[in-house]
Amino acid sequence: MTGRLDGTIVLITGGSRGIGLATALRLGRLGASMVLVARDSASLLEACRRVDEGGGRAIGVSADVVDDSAMERAVARAEQELGGLDVLVNNAGIGRYGPVDTFELSDWRRVIDTNLTGPFIATRAALPAIRRRGGGHILSISSGAGKQGYSNMSAYCASKFGLQGFMAALAAEVADDPIKCATIVAGGVLTDFGIRSREDRLRSGDKFLAPDDVAAAVEFLLTQPEGAWTQELNLWPR
């Protein structure tokens, strides 16, 4: 086991910033090629440039993870331009918060669609391609909110609890394939997310993970010995 990822082809949703960008940069330095999916074209272009400069190769696809045809196109580009697909990292997510009795239905739907339906859509698109490569990995970035309920976070908690269940069911479904499914349950991460900016988090005095801490967990999962499988990795700041 060399720890290198030369020849590995990865698709990362939410790949232009935060955890997604940190993961792209880390995997690129290890030799991986990748498709990055994000909504913001400008940040996506910059992310691809940084991956390329760091020694990897990145193709950007400007798309929303809830667009099934767009995710099919992203997978097709991985196969046509990079040669296949070995790894899917379901990272894209949003946070919208408020008490249940005043929470907008449109916000509820958007959180559930992005954080739960998005991984389903991406996984459904990626699975045939990963099988054509003879196996690989499907990873999802979850949260402590997928393990415990928090006030004013009903939509976010529901989406992450659902993601935990989806990944457990997926692992059972592909148990006879050489496909490892893993969920990273991450504590608070120092990024701009939801209503709190990175600066707000710094001022709070709370402890946070760096985005690259989560990226290092992705690297660990992808470089484990073939006979080892971590189904769930809990990652907390200290």
Side-chain angles (χ1 to χ4, degrees):
M1 187 176 64
T2 67
R4 293 287 300 176
L5 293 172
D6 301 290
T8 301
I9 303 166
V10 185
L11 191 154
I12 304 174
T13 67
S16 67
R17 61 186 67 179
I19 293 170
L21 175 58
T23 300
L25 293 172
R26 179 174 279 266
L27 300 188
R29 289 193 295 269
L30 295 173
S33 300
M34 65 202 74
V35 174
L36 305 181
V37 177
R39 289 179 293 172
D40 187 312
S41 299
S43 62
L44 192 58
L45 185 64
E46 174 64 11
C48 291
R49 183 191 67 78
R50 291 179 63 184
V51 171
D52 292 345
E53 286 185 351
R57 181 184 177 191
I59 295 169
V61 174
S62 180
D64 194 319
V65 290
V66 302
D67 184 339
D68 56 341
S69 61
M71 293 309 302
E72 293 282 356
R73 290 195 298 272
V75 171
R77 289 194 65 183
E79 292 196 292
Q80 294 164 7
E81 299 180 41
L82 300 178
L85 184 63
D86 303 294
V87 179
L88 169 65
V89 180
N90 287 311
N91 167 70
I94 62 170
R96 295 181 181 176
Y97 315 115
V100 169
D101 58 346
T102 59
F103 199 70
E104 293 290 341
L105 181 58
S106 59
D107 286 336
W108 172 275
R109 286 175 170 157
R110 185 61 188 172
V111 171
I112 298 297
D113 282 352
T114 302
N115 297 359
L116 181 54
T117 307
F120 161 73
I121 289 171
T123 300
R124 186 178 64 173
L127 258 177
I130 292 174
R131 283 185 168 125
R132 283 191 285 271
R133 288 278 281 185
H137 298 258
I138 298 173
L139 311 182
S140 287
I141 309 301
S142 188
S143 162
K147 295 283 194 176
Q148 177 179 332
Y150 293 93
S151 177
N152 295 324
M153 293 176 62
S154 60
Y156 189 73
C157 289
S159 71
K160 292 301 185 179
F161 268 80
L163 182 60
Q164 300 281 138
F166 171 72
M167 289 300 294
L170 178 67
E173 189 171 313
V174 302
D176 292 334
D177 293 297
I179 298 173
K180 296 180 184 180
C181 299
T183 305
I184 297 174
V185 179
V189 183
L190 196 57
T191 61
D192 296 312
F193 185 80
I195 60 174
R196 296 180 71 191
S197 69
R198 184 178 183 277
E199 289 69 27
D200 290 336
R201 286 174 165 79
L202 284 170
R203 285 192 293 266
S204 73
D206 295 336
K207 293 181 178 180
F208 293 95
L209 296 162
D212 191 58
D213 293 331
V214 185
V218 173
E219 177 189 343
F220 166 76
L221 293 171
L222 297 185
T223 56
Q224 278 189 297
E226 185 176 342
W229 171 41
T230 301
Q231 183 172 356
E232 183 179 290
L233 191 156
N234 293 286
L235 187 66
W236 310 112
R238 58 173 301 176

